[in-house]
Amino acid sequence: MRFYSNAYLTLQGNVVMSVAFFEHWDGIEISKDQSELLGKIHLRKIDMSDEIFVIDVDGYIGDSTRKEIEYAEKTGKAIRYYSNVEIPSTMFSP
């Protein structure tokens, strides 16, 4: 899914800055300090962005993502949600 959302947005002409990894999905354990560092990095990426694209599969939004959404709202960034985007199945066909 990460591939499809990055590819979809890139093929629409967007410059995509994504998370470095999904620690739970990728099976990576991080320390509290690393978690805080990633949180700060994500906020800096939001500062550099025109909008954020929230990957909310099945409507799920975690605590850190919710904080990032609130930050984006406070800083006047546009917000789009994966659940509201229809990605054509033929988009990646040759």
Side-chain angles (χ1 to χ4, degrees), residues 7-94:
Y8 173 75
L9 293 169
T10 300
L11 290 171
Q12 286 185 318
N14 297 290
V15 174
V16 177
M17 291 184 286
S18 183
V19 297
F21 55 90
F22 294 95
E23 60 268 12
H24 301 300
W25 181 266
D26 294 333
I28 299 171
E29 289 190 38
I30 60 173
S31 69
K32 182 179 179 197
D33 288 342
Q34 290 171 323
S35 177
E36 291 173 4
L37 175 63
L38 288 174
K40 290 177 184 178
I41 290 170
H42 290 180
L43 296 183
R44 298 298 69 82
K45 287 181 180 182
I46 292 170
D47 288 337
M48 295 168 36
S49 301
D50 295 323
E51 72 175 356
I52 66 168
F53 185 79
V54 179
I55 300 173
D56 60 336
V57 175
D58 296 327
Y60 174 77
I61 297 175
D63 291 335
S64 60
T65 302
R66 192 170 314 282
K67 290 176 188 174
E68 292 164 3
I69 292 168
E70 290 170 2
Y71 183 81
E73 288 172 339
K74 288 178 187 174
T75 58
K77 305 296 179 174
I79 302 168
R80 283 199 288 167
Y81 293 86
Y82 181 84
S83 59
N84 295 339
V85 173
E86 189 170 323
I87 299 175
S89 60
T90 58
M91 185 174 157
F92 301 106
S93 300

